[in-house]
Amino acid sequence: PGTPYALSKWCADECARLYHKQYSMNIVRERPFFVIGPRKTGDVCSDLARGTVAMERGAASFISVGNLEVVRDFLDVRDAVRALDAIATRGTPGCVYNVCSGHGRKIAEILDCYVSLASVPLRWQQKSALMRPMDEIARVGEPGRLLALGWKPSVSWEKTLKDILEYWRQK
């Protein structure tokens, strides 16, 4: 783990593994990657959507961005909920399941999508405050065990981003 947040997740995962092994508890572990969707706040997809809406409304002259080259494995919340249900009902105790799409996307792709959906031309400016000093360049999961449970993502990348943008337009 490269950050305190990642370390806290690793520790919780290790505790679950140990409780399963030591006490034969019926524990199935899941590792959600970057779950996104309408109503969610505090993530890059909603931040860029809110910035887009602010520019559409004339409340901002640019969108503040961080590192647009970072690659993440984004998954729509609707697919994530179905994945968690599949893990809870069909997962094997002791196993760990990555809740992810298996596909990496640059942050720049989110911005490109919002540029295509915006009702006004978008401008952006990189802000040092949004640059993370310990940021991993790429974080992409491997969903093989989850796929083996019969789950697969069904909400397209474009629909997810469009739904996020529409949510913020209605606020």
Side-chain angles (χ1 to χ4, degrees), residues 53-160:
V53 171
M55 286 196 67
E56 288 177 337
R57 293 177 179 167
S61 55
F62 63 87
I63 300 171
S64 297
V65 300
N67 185 351
L68 296 176
E69 296 304 305
V70 169
V71 174
R72 295 292 181 260
D73 187 332
F74 296 100
L75 184 65
D76 186 284
V77 65
R78 295 160 283 201
D79 285 330
V81 168
R82 287 187 316 95
L84 294 174
D85 181 63
I87 294 165
T89 57
R90 298 186 300 277
T92 302
C95 283
V96 63
Y97 296 85
N98 292 327
V99 180
C100 60
S101 71
H103 302 287
R105 297 191 182 269
K106 288 184 178 183
I107 303 299
E109 292 179 63
I110 301 165
L111 188 57
D112 289 344
C113 185
Y114 289 145
V115 165
S116 73
L117 295 170
S119 62
V120 299
L122 298 184
R123 295 183 324 139
W124 54 93
Q125 187 174 50
Q126 198 169 52
K127 295 290 188 176
S128 59
L130 296 175
M131 303 294 283
R132 296 180 178 170
M134 294 178 63
D135 215 356
E136 293 178 88
I137 295 301
R139 172 74 92 172
V140 180
E142 198 292 297
R145 282 189 183 148
L146 182 56
L147 294 169
L149 296 178
W151 173 91
K152 65 180 181 177
S154 63
V155 182
S156 74
W157 167 253
E158 293 78 13
K159 176 166 178 42
T160 300

Side-chain angles (χ1 to χ4, degrees), residues 34-53 63 72-76 105-107 109-111 113-114 157 160-168:
F34 299 88
V35 177
I36 60 172
R39 296 180 186 85
K40 188 167 186 274
T41 60
D43 65 33
V44 67
C45 296
S46 61
D47 290 347
L48 292 176
R50 287 190 351 239
T52 300
V53 171
I63 300 171
R72 295 292 181 260
D73 187 332
F74 296 100
L75 184 65
D76 186 284
R105 297 191 182 269
K106 288 184 178 183
I107 303 299
E109 292 179 63
I110 301 165
L111 188 57
C113 185
Y114 289 145
W157 167 253
T160 300
L161 293 181
K162 187 175 183 178
D163 289 353
I164 293 169
L165 183 59
E166 289 304 315
Y167 171 78
W168 290 109

